[in-house]
Structure formats: C-alpha cells, structure tokens
Amino acid sequence: MPAIADRSSSPFKAMLTAKSCELAGSGGCCPPQKRRLRSDTAAAAKESPVSTPMKLKSPRRRLDSSPSSPANRVKKDPSGKTLKKCWNPRDVEQIRAVKEAVHVSTAPSTVVCREDEQKRVLDFCKACVQQEKAGSLYVCGCPGTGKSLSMELVKQQVIDWAKMEGLQPPEVLAMNCTSLANTSVIFSKILGMHQPKKKSIGSASPLQHLQNLYSSKQAQSSSKMMLIIADELDYLITRDRAVLHDLFMLTTFPFSRCILIGIANSIDLADRFLPRLQSLNCKPMVVTFRAYSKDQILSILQERLLVLPYIVFHQQALELCARKVAAASGDMRKALSVCRSAVEILEAELRESASNTGLTSAEGDFVSPQTALAHEVFPSQENNTVRIDHMALALSKTFRSPIVDTIQSLPQHQQIILCSAVKYFRGGKKDTTVGELNKSYIDICKSALIPPVGILEFSSMCRVLNDQGLFKLGQSRDDKFKRVTLKVDEADISFALQGVRLFRNCLQ
C-alpha cells in the first residue's frame, strides 16, 4: 500500500504520490522512465488541484506557435481593418507581380484623377451620337498625363451608353499616327471603315472620296456615326499642314458622320497649325490634361498597388517619388519607371547580402542558432520593403543632374550650411546676411550634436559654395554683413540630402 503524503510534503511530491496510487490501483507497474500518454497527462491535470510544470518547447516551435509571431499575427489599423502583410522579395512570383503592377504597359482597372476630363470628352461624344452630328475635339497635355488611357476608357463608355439608350453605337477607328506609313494613309483607313468591301475606282484619292461622300445626303442615311481617335496627332504636321487641316475639315461637311478626337502633346497645336478652322468658326473643342500633382501621383501609385496582397513600398518612399516627379515633370510614366527601378535596387541589394552571407559562412565564421533562427522566422520585414533610400537612389538615376552630384559630394558642414539656408528661406525671405545664416547653422549643429565651426571658417565655406554656384555672396567689408542668396532650387537640395537622416529630419 503506497504511503499517503502528509501535509508537510510539497505539492509536487503529493502529485507524484497520487500518481503512484493511481498506477498501483490499476494493478500496473510502470517504470518511472516510461513516457506517459497525453490523455493520461490531461486527466491527471484535471484531477489534481496543482498544475504540472509546462514542458518547454524548442525556440522554433515557441516562435511559430506564438500568436504574436509574424506568421500568426493579424495586423489591424485603428479602425479595425486588417492590414496587408509585408512581401517576400525572394519569391519569384511575388516580385514578378510587383514589377507588372508598376509597369508602364499595364493598364489599371480604373483611371483615377482624370474624372473631370473624361466627363467632358464623354459628354461631347454623347451629344454628337444623340444628335447624329459631326464634331471635332482636341485633347492635349504633357506626356504621361493619362490622355491615351482616358480615351480608351471613354471609347468603351460611349459604346456601352449608346447600347443602353437604344441608340446605334458608333463605329470606332482608333490609331496611333506614328504607325502610319504615310500621313495620307489615314484617309484610306477612314474610307475603309465606310466602304469595307468596295475598292476605289478611278483616279480620285481616298480624301476626295470622303469629301464626296460627306457632301451627299445618301451618307447620312446609309452609314453609322464614326468615332475616330487619332493619337500622336502632331505626327501628321507636314510642311504645308494640308493633311492635318483636311482631317479636321472632314467634320465640317454638311452630311459628315465623323466624331474626331485628336490627341497630342502640343497645347497650342490648334492655334498654330489650324488658323483657317478658326476663321471658319470650326475650331475644335480643346480639353487640356494638366501635369499630375504630387497628391495625384501618390493616389495613382497607391491605386495600382491595391491589387497586391502585401506591402511593397514604405509610405515615405512613395511620397518622395511623387514629390520629385511632380516637381520635375508630372509624368506618371516616369513615376512608375522610378518605382520599378527602386524594386530592382532592393532586389540587387538582397542578392548581394545573400552572397555575402554565403561567403562569410564559407570562410568558417560561426553563426549562432539563435541568429539563424531569427533570420528565418523574422525575415526582417523592414529590410524587405522598398525604403526611402532605395527610392532616392532610383530617383537620382532617373533625374541625375550636375547640381545634385555637386551637393552630394560636398563636405558635411557645407551640406549643413545649405540645409540651414533652405530652412531659413522657407519663411519667405529671399536673402540674408552671413551672420544670420550662421545662427541657423549653429542651431542645426546643436540639434544634431555636431560641433559647429567658427565664424571665420563659416565665411570661408560660404565663399566655397559661392564658387560652386550654389550661393551668391554680396559685397561688404565685414564678412558677417555680406548678403547671401540661394542660387539653386530648394527641391534639388532636399533631393540630394534626402538619404541622410540628419538632413531628412531637418528639411521636413
């Protein structure tokens, strides 16, 4: 009969004694080394008021089973919505999907930030189809402002609207004028849409056939309306401007069925090359696509990245890209190209890091299991995302300028002087004295815990910046009272120094 534990025994001993009683009561004799079943352990835990010590797991299992581990953690924003997880740039499929999302040739599902322009073009086309009346419209704007993409969307919207209203949808002829072998070929294409099975007979040109067709009442009753979208219209500008002029004149004939939409970059093309149309009161309606602003570029980038189920770019990196591209040109294609380049820079950085790790391991350096486990389980989400330094490098490759190179090659204190000048002139002032600028410089040095230089050396560095063409120094007997003017754009200084945390914090 096993002994019953007295009150002076420890709970752990009491638990073992109770277990011995249980085994003896069942008639079994089991050695203490034998492994117990999980069911037995659970039953014992329920019967005993004292819990057994928890069996320690291996570090890998402990990390994987933790609800706060990266694999099991569910990120939520303050509103309770589930956030995207970070991506793995070592995954071939993921990086292919990211590059495709930011590729220039990938058409987005929706065209954002161009709703007003699209509505004006769509209303124009609706009126022409509804009234069965010819008309011409000229879409202009800088490259990469969404002109062609918007017209593709409007083209489909016109057809869908006509079907929904019970009207006859127009025939559509969309072409890029750079693909034409000859500028006059455009008239052959238009005639082919009207008379697909007929061949031109006689010596009359396709243009003359169209002019005759649109001059007879038979054309109005026998053919559909035709929507002609001519992209890169400025390619049709010849020495005598005849082709461009004749194309727009087709919409002025009494029985014309053409709705002509011309797309080009030149804002004043209609004024410079079609003066006769204006004199005939037939000047086309003009819709201008302005260059994208910083907020619009950021919105379009975020819209494109919504298709991805993971986070690829830091928000600050996207903002830097949008700010720089908007200041330079507002070209959305340039912004997409920069983002793609930043992804490739991250990809190359990770490849180099992996090769360096392999080289270190080959040399026999000791890597602790904890370190290897941390790299495996926590794959450094911060390092796997396109950061602001990747974006700055991609931008510098795209918008490389001698000024940026000069600023980046300056010594640190001269860069601090430029930074202090940018900060000082943000208040609306155009110039200041060397003495006042020195005070701003000292404030930045103190905040960064960097010992400032003396006033004489500061004046000398200002002269160096003057020689570099970054400053303009006035004349004065005392260096402290010389007037200082910044000769370079603030955006160039901000861009050149964006990769250094000290300057990035100062310029924000």
Side-chain angles (χ1 to χ4, degrees), residues 300-311:
I300 294 169
L301 289 175
Q302 290 171 338
E303 184 74 23
R304 276 186 172 251
L305 295 172
L306 279 178
V307 300
L308 302 173
Y310 30 76
I311 300 170

Side-chain angles (χ1 to χ4, degrees), residues 329-502:
S329 61
D331 188 340
M332 192 61 220
R333 293 177 299 185
K334 192 76 74 176
L336 292 171
S337 176
V338 169
C339 287
R340 188 179 172 91
S341 177
V343 171
E344 291 171 352
I345 289 170
L346 171 63
E347 193 181 6
E349 181 185 272
L350 291 174
R351 275 200 306 267
E352 185 180 353
S353 175
S355 63
N356 290 340
T357 304
L359 183 61
T360 304
S361 302
E363 289 173 356
D365 288 352
F366 174 72
V367 179
S368 67
Q370 290 85 354
T371 304
L373 181 62
H375 281 293
E376 184 177 348
V377 179
F378 298 109
S380 184
Q381 295 181 1
E382 182 77 14
N383 293 333
N384 285 353
T385 316
V386 177
R387 303 185 306 272
I388 197 167
D389 54 323
H390 299 134
M391 192 64 74
L393 185 56
L395 284 165
S396 67
K397 289 181 177 179
T398 307
F399 298 102
R400 204 70 187 173
S401 71
I403 293 174
V404 172
D405 291 339
T406 301
I407 294 171
Q408 289 179 340
S409 64
L410 291 173
Q412 185 188 47
H413 280 277
Q414 292 182 26
Q415 291 176 339
I416 295 175
I417 293 173
L418 282 177
C419 186
S420 62
V422 169
K423 199 170 180 182
Y424 188 88
F425 291 135
R426 275 181 181 168
K429 295 184 178 180
K430 295 183 179 180
D431 64 350
T432 185
T433 61
V434 172
E436 289 296 321
L437 185 61
N438 184 51
K439 292 178 184 177
S440 178
Y441 157 80
I442 291 173
D443 290 340
I444 293 177
C445 287
K446 284 181 178 179
S447 64
L449 303 178
I450 297 174
V453 299
I455 184 63
L456 293 177
E457 190 172 352
F458 180 85
S459 301
S460 176
M461 285 192 288
C462 286
R463 285 194 293 273
V464 171
L465 293 174
N466 178 72
D467 296 338
Q468 295 271 16
L470 305 174
F471 272 0
K472 181 180 179 182
L473 282 179
Q475 298 294 325
S476 179
R477 291 184 179 179
D478 193 340
D479 285 345
K480 281 201 247 181
F481 298 113
K482 286 183 178 178
R483 307 299 296 182
V484 181
T485 308
L486 197 59
K487 288 188 67 179
V488 293
D489 192 14
E490 175 191 332
D492 286 329
I493 297 174
S494 300
F495 174 67
L497 303 179
Q498 191 71 47
V500 183
R501 181 178 296 177
L502 161 65

Side-chain angles (χ1 to χ4, degrees), residues 148 173-181 186 189 229-236 263:
S148 302
L173 174 62
M175 73 192 92
N176 190 306
C177 296
T178 58
S179 63
L180 301 176
I186 190 170
K189 287 183 174 290
I229 301 176
D231 202 354
E232 304 291 349
L233 191 69
D234 39 10
Y235 180 77
L236 299 180
I263 309 171

Side-chain angles (χ1 to χ4, degrees), residues 20-141:
S20 301
C21 293
E22 198 176 301
L23 289 171
S26 62
C29 180
C30 128
Q33 293 85 3
K34 188 172 179 180
R35 196 173 194 176
R36 288 179 296 179
L37 296 173
R38 288 185 182 176
S39 58
D40 295 338
T41 308
K46 288 180 181 177
E47 292 173 7
S48 174
V50 182
S51 61
T52 58
M54 185 182 68
K55 185 178 178 181
L56 293 177
K57 297 180 180 180
S58 68
R60 182 189 297 275
R61 289 183 180 177
R62 194 161 65 245
L63 285 168
D64 289 342
S65 63
S66 170
S68 61
S69 67
N72 301 318
R73 185 188 303 132
V74 178
K75 295 183 178 180
K76 292 188 177 182
D77 63 4
S79 63
K81 294 181 180 178
T82 304
L83 299 178
K84 294 182 179 182
K85 60 182 180 180
C86 286
W87 72 312
N88 178 16
R90 297 173 183 84
D91 189 318
V92 177
E93 286 301 315
Q94 288 191 19
I95 202 160
R96 182 195 60 78
V98 170
K99 287 182 177 179
E100 186 177 341
V102 295
H103 199 279
V104 177
S105 63
T106 303
S109 56
T110 57
V111 182
V112 296
C113 303
R114 287 299 180 218
E115 292 81 5
D116 292 342
E117 292 84 352
Q118 290 168 17
K119 186 178 182 304
R120 289 182 63 193
V121 177
L122 182 60
D123 290 344
F124 166 79
C125 293
K126 283 181 179 179
C128 291
V129 172
Q130 206 163 23
Q131 300 170 18
E132 294 190 355
K133 179 183 176 183
S136 60
L137 183 142
Y138 176 57
V139 176
C140 60

